[in-house]
């Protein structure tokens, strides 16, 4: 059901959420195509979350009219305006932000701080496709608080979910049976081991306290333009459309949500952000290289108290990946006897038989990892792609009508394996530019200028050659990166270029031998349906697939015979599988309801034939401790 969250407390904000309302527990989907080898464990409970899309309160413009009086002065007073044209409702704000992640919420908070400082009143709306704020957020995460210190200096006194200080850094080179300790290139003193999904929920509360309107459960499916080709907002996806395209009884048309400034904070490979980058040629504007990506797969375990060392940070290189494939693993000791374990695999790998999910299962059987996990329980599973292009791949982030912020633009510091602090800072800088454009007569280009003079730019510039050095393999990459890190410190007079785009890097299957992966044991390693259950992934089955084939013939005519069906392996949720049709011929079946919204398919498909679009609002994973 298409709805805005109707907030019913007695607060001065008529749309403020009731703190006493219980979260909606959605039914979770389990693929019926593959049986689990063992019954899945009980679901993990979700911490209290006030930002949950709820049934029983369908959105309508009438809800907004009842909540607040509207007049011709509403725009000047910073109040949203509502109109209805051609059967679609339209709502207008001063600033519209797409995505309630670290960048989007930091931008919203900074905007309202500036309103308080300058005695201004701008309406700010944040639209989030997840059913709840933080529900789609997944990251390692060893958090660097630099940007948060600037945004909310008193966070340490305000019960932020940032409690476990990094206490040690270990760096291992893994062979099949050994973990060889190396000097750690990481310096996590002053950083914290956290759950980013929990931090984002906390930021959502801070945003709401400032009067920011946050609406989870809304998928931004289309960019709106005016007659001069300026971005004026987004359209949310229609709800209640069946698989065959007909309207169900629950049908509700999407809403046009407009902003005088629109900020896109969709995260890595944002579907609308990518369209804007291409439409306005934002990479060409600054001669940026193509973006390159990795797929991160993560589990959170609860382990024995005797094995738990809060704040311990471990990174690895080497096994189980081959020397030509860039990537590594992480093991972070959180609080409450929890550890975050993950494997990151660069998506420019060549072997079409490589399966990142199965590589992750192998990792858990390494003696150094196994001894920590044994006797423990998996609490949650998830996956997401991340940007690895760094400095070379940052597009011009400003377009007519708004800007791109956070991981949608790509500010991850690869050698640090950190991007939250840079994403937050980019959102804050964009907010300052938006405030200046709306209140002080400047323009959004100040975002680009201030970004280049900020610590974000300096940090990414000094780290620019680390990732492309590994184009030549693990050992040359380690040598070059060590020289950069310890001796030259990013001051070399040249910038290395990235290799082929990730989808172009995939070799033909005839050049490689199939990889035989061991079967999961149900104790340390698991099949995909069991892991999916732990992600709490849910989509309405009866809706058009949000995973679209540009040419429906390519899977059977190209991907299967030439690349041995790589989509059945690079996807960590078994969305893509080949089944026999009525004639006994293999045919691609898309299990869209399994989708974790990781975007790997949009990136890695050899012919760029798969387009990831948003499903109905509220669909996807429901992370609580990731």
């Amino acid at each position: 059901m298409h709805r805005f969250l109707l907030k019913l407390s007695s607060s001065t904000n008529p749309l403020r959420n009731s703190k006493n309302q219980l979260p909606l527990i959605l039914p979770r989907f389990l693929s019926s195509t593959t049986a689990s080898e063992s019954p899945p464990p009980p679901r993990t409970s979700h911490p209290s979350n006030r930002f949950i899309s709820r049934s029983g309160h369908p959105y309508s413009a009438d809800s907004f009219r009842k909540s607040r009086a509207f007049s011709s002065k509403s725009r000047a007073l910073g109040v949203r305006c509502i109109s209805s044209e051609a059967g679609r409702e339209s709502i207008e704000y001063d600033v519209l932000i797409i995505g309630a992640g670290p960048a989007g919420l930091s931008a919203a908070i900074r905007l309202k701080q500036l309103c308080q400082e300058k005695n201004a009143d701008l309406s700010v709306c944040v639209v989030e496709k997840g059913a709840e704020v933080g529900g789609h957020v997944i990251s390692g995460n060893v958090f660097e608080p630099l940007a948060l210190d600037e945004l909310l200096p008193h966070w340490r006194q305000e019960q932020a979910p940032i409690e476990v200080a990094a206490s040690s850094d270990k760096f291992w080179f893994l062979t099949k049976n050994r973990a060889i300790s190396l000097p750690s290139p990481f310096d996590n003193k002053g950083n914290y081991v956290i759950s980013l999904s929990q931090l984002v929920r906390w930021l959502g509360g801070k945003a709401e306290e400032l009067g920011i309107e946050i609406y989870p459960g809304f998928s931004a499916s289309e960019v709106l333009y005016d007659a001069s080709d300026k971005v004026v907002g987004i359209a949310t996806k229609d709800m209640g459309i069946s698989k065959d395209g007909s309207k169900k009884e629950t049908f509700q048309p999407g809403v046009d949500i407009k902003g005088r400034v629109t900020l896109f904070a969709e995260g890595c490979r944002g579907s609308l952000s990518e369209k804007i980058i291409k439409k306005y040629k934002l990479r060409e504007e600054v001669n940026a290289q193509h973006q390159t990506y990795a797929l991160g797969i993560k589990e959170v375990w609860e382990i024995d108290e005797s094995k738990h060392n809060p704040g311990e940070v471990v990174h690895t290189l080497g096994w189980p990946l081959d020397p030509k494939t860039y990537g590594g693993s992480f093991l972070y000791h959180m609080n409450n006897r929890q550890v975050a374990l993950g494997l990151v695999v660069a998506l420019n790998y060549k072997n079409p038989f490589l399966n990142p999910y199965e590589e992750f299962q192998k990792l858990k059987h390494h003696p150094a990892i196994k001894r920590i996990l044994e006797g423990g329980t998996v609490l949650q599973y998830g996956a997401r792609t991340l940007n690895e292009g760094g400095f070379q791949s940052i597009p011009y982030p400003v377009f007519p009508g708004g800007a791109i912020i956070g991981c949608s633009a790509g500010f991850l510091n690869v050698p640090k394996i950190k991007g939250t602090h840079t994403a937050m800072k980019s959102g804050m800088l964009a907010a300052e530019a938006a405030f200046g454009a709306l209140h002080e007569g400047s323009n959004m280009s100040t975002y680009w200028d201030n970004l280049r003079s900020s610590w974000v730019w300096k940090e990414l510039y000094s780290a620019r050659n680390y990732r492309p050095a590994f184009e030549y393999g693990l050992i040359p990459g380690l040598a070059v990166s060590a020289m950069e890190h310890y001796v030259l410190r990013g001051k070399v007079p040249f910038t290395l270029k990235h290799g082929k785009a990730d989808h172009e890097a995939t070799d033909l299957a005839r050049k490689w031998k199939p990889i035989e992966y061991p079967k999961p044991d149900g104790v340390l390693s698991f099949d995909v349906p069991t892991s999916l259950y732990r992600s709490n992934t849910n989509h309405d089955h009866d809706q058009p697939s949000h995973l679209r084939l540009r040419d429906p013939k390519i899977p059977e005519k190209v991907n299967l015979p030439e690349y041995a069906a790589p989509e059945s392996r690079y996807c960590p949720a078994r969305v893509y599988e080949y089944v026999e049709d009525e004639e006994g011929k293999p045919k691609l079946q898309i299990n869209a309801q399994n989708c974790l919204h990781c975007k790997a398919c949009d990136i890695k498909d050899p012919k760029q034939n798969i387009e990831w679009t948003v499903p109905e609002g509220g669909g996807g994973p429901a992370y609580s401790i990731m």
Side-chain angles (χ1 to χ4, degrees), residues 317-443:
L317 285 174
W319 193 89
L321 300 178
D322 65 77
K324 295 292 185 180
T325 301
Y326 177 75
S329 72
F330 60 85
L331 181 69
Y332 304 151
H333 288 247
M334 306 162 71
N335 58 4
N336 301 323
R337 294 169 44 212
Q338 295 173 3
V339 295
L341 173 69
L343 178 68
V344 178
V345 181
L347 286 176
N348 66 342
Y349 64 81
K350 297 180 179 181
N351 186 349
F353 293 105
L354 188 145
N355 186 320
Y357 178 86
E358 296 294 348
E359 297 289 337
F360 178 57
Q361 302 311 306
K362 283 173 59 179
L363 170 71
K364 290 181 285 183
H365 287 274
H366 189 281
I369 306 297
K370 180 179 179 179
R371 64 176 178 81
I372 297 171
L373 302 183
E374 279 184 323
T377 303
V378 184
L379 301 180
Q380 276 192 354
Y381 163 83
R384 188 68 167 92
T385 51
L386 51 147
N387 304 296
E388 287 195 336
F391 179 83
Q392 295 91 317
S393 300
I394 298 172
Y396 183 65
V398 180
F399 54 84
I404 299 174
I405 62 179
C407 289
S408 286
F411 298 113
L412 179 80
N413 182 324
V414 176
K416 275 189 176 182
I417 322 177
K418 291 177 178 60
T420 304
H421 65 304
T422 50
M424 292 176 67
K425 181 62 174 180
S426 74
M428 294 157 62
L429 293 172
E432 292 166 1
F435 183 85
L438 296 175
H439 187 68
E440 298 171 347
S442 60
N443 60 66

Side-chain angles (χ1 to χ4, degrees), residues 102-345:
L105 291 173
S106 296
I109 290 169
R110 185 66 189 128
L111 272 162
K112 280 298 187 178
Q113 289 175 337
L114 289 167
C115 287
Q116 292 178 345
E117 294 169 11
K118 306 288 186 178
N119 195 28
D121 192 2
L122 299 176
S123 58
V124 181
C125 173
V126 181
V127 177
E128 164 59 37
K129 67 181 173 65
E132 50 187 81
V133 171
H136 284 185
V137 175
I138 176 173
S139 177
N141 181 294
V142 178
F143 179 68
E144 183 171 332
L146 178 57
L148 186 60
D149 286 337
E150 296 179 9
L151 181 67
L152 297 168
H154 304 294
W155 62 265
R156 291 172 178 83
Q157 292 79 46
E158 297 181 5
Q159 296 182 321
I162 305 173
E163 302 168 350
V164 181
S167 58
S168 65
D169 274 305
K170 296 181 180 179
F171 188 45
W172 297 341
F173 180 82
L174 299 184
T175 64
K176 186 175 181 179
N177 295 306
R178 294 184 60 197
I180 303 169
S181 293
L182 299 176
S184 177
F186 304 98
D187 181 10
N188 282 306
K189 184 178 180 180
N191 297 336
Y192 297 82
V193 180
I194 68 165
S195 158
L196 189 58
S197 55
Q198 291 178 352
L199 176 59
V200 163
R201 277 193 292 276
W202 181 82
L203 286 172
K206 292 300 174 184
E208 188 189 45
E209 290 172 6
L210 291 168
I212 295 157
E213 297 177 21
I214 305 175
Y215 297 108
F218 273 75
S219 294
S221 62
E222 178 186 355
V223 181
L224 301 178
Y225 303 91
D226 65 11
S228 64
D229 231 16
K230 174 185 174 183
V231 173
V232 294
I234 58 94
T236 65
K237 194 176 183 71
D238 291 344
M239 304 286 281
I241 302 291
S242 63
K243 280 186 177 181
D244 62 10
S246 62
K247 296 179 180 179
K248 296 186 283 190
E249 291 183 0
T250 56
F251 172 77
Q252 292 188 22
V255 182
D256 291 347
I257 308 178
K258 298 181 179 180
R260 296 166 66 192
V261 172
T262 303
L263 302 180
F264 287 87
E266 300 174 286
C268 176
R269 194 75 171 197
S271 53
L272 297 186
S273 303
E274 289 297 309
K275 291 182 183 298
I276 287 173
I277 289 171
K278 291 176 183 176
K279 178 181 177 65
Y280 294 109
K281 298 182 178 180
L282 299 182
R283 292 199 190 283
E284 293 83 348
E285 181 80 13
V286 290
N287 295 316
Q289 296 177 40
H290 62 270
Q291 186 60 263
T292 184
Y293 303 88
L295 175 64
I297 302 175
K298 176 183 174 182
E299 289 175 345
V300 174
W301 285 66
E302 184 177 81
I303 63 172
D304 291 343
E305 183 71 38
S306 61
K307 302 176 183 179
H308 188 232
N309 186 17
E312 183 173 286
V313 174
V314 180
H315 293 100
T316 82
L317 285 174
W319 193 89
L321 300 178
D322 65 77
K324 295 292 185 180
T325 301
Y326 177 75
S329 72
F330 60 85
L331 181 69
Y332 304 151
H333 288 247
M334 306 162 71
N335 58 4
N336 301 323
R337 294 169 44 212
Q338 295 173 3
V339 295
L341 173 69
L343 178 68
V344 178
V345 181

